[in-house]
Amino acid sequence: MNATAILASAKRVNLGGLGLGAPLLLVILLAMLVLPLPPFALDVFFTFNIALSLIVVLAAVYTLRPLDFSVFPTVLLITTLLRLALNVASTRVVLLEGHQGTDAAGRVIEAFGEFVIGGNYAVGLVVFSILVIINFVVVTKGAGECPRSARGSPSTRCPASRWRSTPI
C-alpha cells in the first residue's frame, strides 16, 4: 500500500458521514495554539510528531516514482502546522511552568533537553546558537526566493520558454 492509498483511506474517515475530519483537525491545532496543554498531552503529541516524521521520511525514501507519493505537499503542510502548534504549546508550558522542575513541560522535552545539553550549559548555548543561525539562514534564503519565483526568473520557468527566449 503506497502513501496515496493511506492518505485516501484517512480522508474517508468522516466521523459519521458528516465530513468533519479536516475541520476537526484544524480545531485541534487551533486549540493547541490557544489553550495550555498538560505535560502528558504534550508528550503524546510530541511522540506522535516524531513517529509521523519517521513515517514520512521512510515513505519518501522508499517511494520508487514521484507520483506514488503525490500527497507529499499536503502531508508536509499538515505536519508543519502540527509542529507550529507544538512549538507554541510547548513554549507556553515551558515559560509558565518551567520553574517547577525539569519535567514540568513533559518527559519528552526533558529528555530532549538533557540529550542536547548533555549536562553542560555551554554546550547547550552553542547548539542553540547554531540552530538559531541555521533557522535565520533558511528563512532569509526562502524569503529571497519568493520574489524571484514571482517575477518568473529563467531558472524557474519551464524549459520551452527558456528555449524560445534564446537568440538564434
Side-chain angles (χ1 to χ4, degrees):
M1 181 179 275
N2 60 20
T4 306
I6 293 171
L7 189 64
S9 66
K11 280 184 176 178
R12 284 192 295 268
V13 177
N14 58 9
L15 298 175
L18 299 177
L20 295 177
L24 185 64
L25 178 68
L26 287 175
V27 168
I28 290 172
L29 290 176
L30 288 174
M32 287 174 62
L33 290 172
V34 176
L35 302 174
L37 291 175
F40 178 74
L42 278 176
D43 286 342
V44 169
F45 283 128
F46 272 118
T47 305
F48 175 73
N49 183 24
I50 293 169
L52 183 65
S53 300
L54 289 175
I55 290 170
V56 169
V57 166
L58 289 174
V61 167
Y62 287 110
T63 298
L64 298 177
R65 294 174 296 158
L67 287 179
D68 288 342
F69 198 31
S70 63
V71 295
F72 180 70
T74 305
V75 171
L76 191 63
L77 176 67
I78 292 169
T79 55
T80 302
L81 288 174
L82 174 64
R83 288 186 189 111
L84 174 68
L86 279 172
N87 282 336
V88 170
S90 63
T91 301
R92 179 186 299 113
V93 171
V94 166
L95 291 175
L96 291 177
E97 309 295 333
H99 65 281
Q100 295 177 358
T102 57
D103 64 341
R107 304 260 183 215
V108 174
I109 294 175
E110 178 186 21
F112 185 74
E114 288 176 5
F115 175 76
V116 170
I117 291 177
N120 189 349
Y121 288 107
V123 172
L125 185 64
V126 169
V127 170
F128 176 75
S129 301
I130 291 171
L131 290 175
V132 167
I133 291 169
I134 289 172
N135 282 326
F136 177 73
V137 168
V138 167
V139 168
T140 55
K141 290 289 185 182
E145 291 297 321
C146 289
R148 184 178 306 154
S149 62
R151 70 176 175 258
S153 68
S155 64
T156 59
R157 285 192 215 143
C158 66
S161 66
R162 282 184 276 178
W163 294 331
R164 280 190 301 249
S165 64
T166 309
I168 297 177

